[in-house]
Amino acid sequence: MIESHHFKQELTEQERRDWLRLIRSENVGPVTFHRLLSKYGSASSALDALPELARMGGKISYRLYPERLVDLELERLIAAGANLVASCEKGYPDSLRFTVGAPPLISVAGNTHLLQNDSIAIVGARNASANGMGFARALAADIGKGGYGHNNLVIVSGMARGIDTAAHQGGLRTGTIAVLAGGVDVVYPRENQKLYSEIRDQGVVVAEMAVGTKPTARMFPVRNRIIAGLSRGVVVVEASPRSGSLITARAALEQGRDVFAVPGTPGDPRARGTNGLIRDGAILTESASDVLEALSETNFLEQTKEDLFYYNKLESDDVIDSNIDQARCAIKELLGNSSVAVDELVRNCQFSIPTVHAVLLELELAGRLERHPGNRVCLILKANETEKQSLS
């Protein structure tokens, strides 16, 4: 993960290229990126190590991200009027920096100073009711004004239809951050073109994916974790039980953020998700004061730093067991196509934490391992392995 000595160090042009090439390389996600950076000291050294690590995980041929595509992405970024900010640099928001699996690089466009302000996410249903959108718009405006010892708060959302759109509209005057599922220059939905332009003018747009990337379904849950990571808390206005807004709420809880929910009429399907959150302990929210008062009682950033420090400390030992081959066999035997907590893997094998992480890293780079929220992993099984597991 991110080490303390990497904080707020400006990258050279070559280092930025290496970071971009590493995070875009095959099977390298944010958690793996930071682990590689910590292990090898630089993105350049990590790139040199990738093919052999993937081979140890069972992948015969591993392809690094081509240099020509790095050139193309940087050219397109300039053309889009956006910048690339690394998680070690001062322009990167601290609230996101101190989360497990923070995006190593984000593309930003607009008033980037807003990323340093305290912020609150407001999310909800795409098929929102008129009342729900009106409430979200007013709530965003009121939260943005601050209170209870807070200065202006920036409103974060995902620029989707419905509640997200209303939240951004309400937050334009005091500042709003739109987190996009695709590239920083790709407006989705298209009907929000005017809103997108207003946010670039008065707020800031953030994206993890490469410039020009059109959003797909799998990108939205990834986007939602960034919405939560940027925010001190997440307010859900309307959400069905299967709403993506609940994914954002779960990400907020995993990251130690407060979750707020606006109660709704029991007969409305869009109230089932929010009412369920309240039943499970979310803070019932009827006005901005409910949010602002709760935030005044927590030292959010210090707790986030402590959580990340503890997480890093667990992985700080670089000593790998000498019988690493035996560890590979044992750990793969413990893994299946259902996700399991990494802590549980450690408890159920006789190998050190660094050894377990080393094996998981190899498997992930080989395309054999998938990471899930809550520090959980599962094996991506081949057809013959699936059959073998079903018979065992």
Side-chain angles (χ1 to χ4, degrees), residues 18 43 86 98 106 148 157 170 176 248 264 310 323 329 354-355:
D18 291 339
F98 294 106
I106 53 174
Y148 289 86
S157 201
T176 187
T248 310
Y310 176 72
N323 51 347
C329 294
T355 299

Side-chain angles (χ1 to χ4, degrees), residues 306-319:
E306 288 178 15
D307 290 345
L308 187 62
F309 174 78
Y310 176 72
Y311 186 91
N312 287 339
K313 190 175 180 181
L314 289 176
E315 302 179 7
S316 61
D317 185 4
D318 289 330
V319 178

Side-chain angles (χ1 to χ4, degrees), residues 240-371:
S240 69
R242 299 178 63 84
S243 170
S245 302
L246 301 187
I247 296 175
T248 310
R250 284 195 295 272
L253 289 172
E254 289 167 0
Q255 296 170 8
R257 273 62 169 168
D258 287 320
V259 173
F260 305 84
V262 177
T265 305
D268 189 340
R270 292 167 295 201
R272 290 178 188 163
T274 50
N275 291 349
L277 287 173
I278 294 168
R279 187 167 53 248
D280 293 338
I283 299 169
L284 189 149
T285 302
E286 296 177 309
S287 68
S289 62
D290 294 322
V291 177
L292 297 169
E293 185 175 3
L295 294 181
S296 68
E297 298 172 358
T298 60
N299 191 338
F300 147 79
L301 192 55
E302 286 306 312
Q303 183 60 50
T304 304
K305 288 179 181 179
E306 288 178 15
D307 290 345
L308 187 62
F309 174 78
Y310 176 72
Y311 186 91
N312 287 339
K313 190 175 180 181
L314 289 176
E315 302 179 7
S316 61
D317 185 4
D318 289 330
V319 178
I320 306 296
D321 290 306
S322 57
N323 51 347
I324 183 71
D325 289 335
Q326 184 180 344
R328 290 186 182 103
C329 294
I331 291 167
K332 281 192 281 188
E333 189 69 27
L334 289 170
L335 288 167
N337 59 355
S338 296
S339 68
V340 61
V342 174
D343 291 346
E344 192 67 21
L345 281 178
V346 174
R347 279 193 293 268
N348 283 286
C349 71
Q350 303 301 313
F351 301 98
S352 66
I353 292 175
T355 299
V356 173
H357 283 298
V359 173
L360 296 181
L361 179 62
E362 293 170 356
L363 290 171
E364 185 174 17
L365 291 174
R368 303 290 311 285
L369 186 87
E370 185 175 21
R371 294 189 182 273

Side-chain angles (χ1 to χ4, degrees), residues 164-181:
D164 287 23
T165 292
H168 287 306
Q169 290 169 340
L172 277 172
R173 179 167 294 186
T174 53
T176 187
I177 301 171
V179 185
L180 306 188

Side-chain angles (χ1 to χ4, degrees), residues 17-32:
R17 291 178 60 85
D18 291 339
W19 274 51
L20 183 57
R21 192 178 184 205
L22 180 59
I23 190 56
R24 298 284 187 252
S25 286
E26 192 176 11
N27 301 323
V28 177
V31 171
T32 300

